[in-house]
Amino acid sequence: MNDKILVCYGTRYGSAGEIAENIGEILRNHGATVDIINLKKNKVKNLETFDLVVVGSGIQMGKWTKEPLQFLKKHPVILSRKKIALFVSCMTAAKPESCNQARRNYLDNIAADFPEIIPISMGLFGGLIDTSKGNILTKAIMQAIVKSFAEEGEETPGRVDLRDWEQIRIWTEGLIPDPFDA
Ligand SMILES: Cc1cc2nc3c(=O)[nH]c(=O)nc-3n(C[C@H](O)[C@H](O)[C@H](O)COP(=O)(O)O)c2cc1C
């Protein structure tokens, strides 16, 4: 594959960033030329030149980070002509009882907000909580989330990583075009 692919993302604590790096690495290993952009730090240049655009975010209090949403809003015409894939990293993705709602709220509803894009794929991935990060308020929320994943009577861990790298690899490989469709 010699496609040019953009993987861009917004992250608050780094989880979606590490997923984006991993997606980019996998696509590079399949021969693609990949730009990985943290939209909180850098702008996308030459958007027209990409064959596939992967846009992702971490979720906080039910919301995407603002930069990827601004990116999707800013380029409706160009993006309507591109293959687009969306992904999110969040803790509710990893709970069977809440993953369908997470998919609806964080992916289906976001795609519906941008009718000009029809994603070829949407990845719902688990998240990472590290209670050593954040301010007092976010630490308290993080501790409550982490506690909800601990067994009854079990000590609450400081770090919970629910990202399934095998799931992410399989999803990413699904983005690679079938040579027979070319
Ligand atoms: C303050 C705070 C609020 C969060 N709110 C949600 C939420 O509403 N739904 C959810 O599924 N996960 C929630 N999470 C978990 C994050 O989505 C998860 O940690 C994710 O990996 C963060 O990605 P990021 O580091 O790329 O921003 C929250 C985490 C924090 C710290």
Side-chain angles (χ1 to χ4, degrees), residues 41-79:
K41 295 189 177 156
N42 292 302
K43 292 212 178 328
V44 173
K45 294 190 192 120
N46 305 320
L47 180 58
E48 302 79 7
T49 61
F50 294 97
D51 301 295
L52 166 66
V53 178
V54 182
V55 186
S57 181
I59 298 294
Q60 192 166 312
M61 308 310 280
K63 291 197 160 37
W64 276 49
T65 48
K66 65 175 186 297
E67 292 81 3
L69 294 177
Q70 284 165 351
F71 169 78
L72 290 169
K73 195 172 172 186
K74 199 172 160 193
H75 305 286
V77 176
I78 301 175
L79 291 177

Side-chain angles (χ1 to χ4, degrees), residues 11-16 58-62 89-92 106 127-128:
T11 184
R12 296 179 181 94
Y13 297 101
S15 168
I59 298 294
Q60 192 166 312
M61 308 310 280
S89 167
C90 62
M91 296 309 263
T92 46
Y106 308 149
L128 166 71

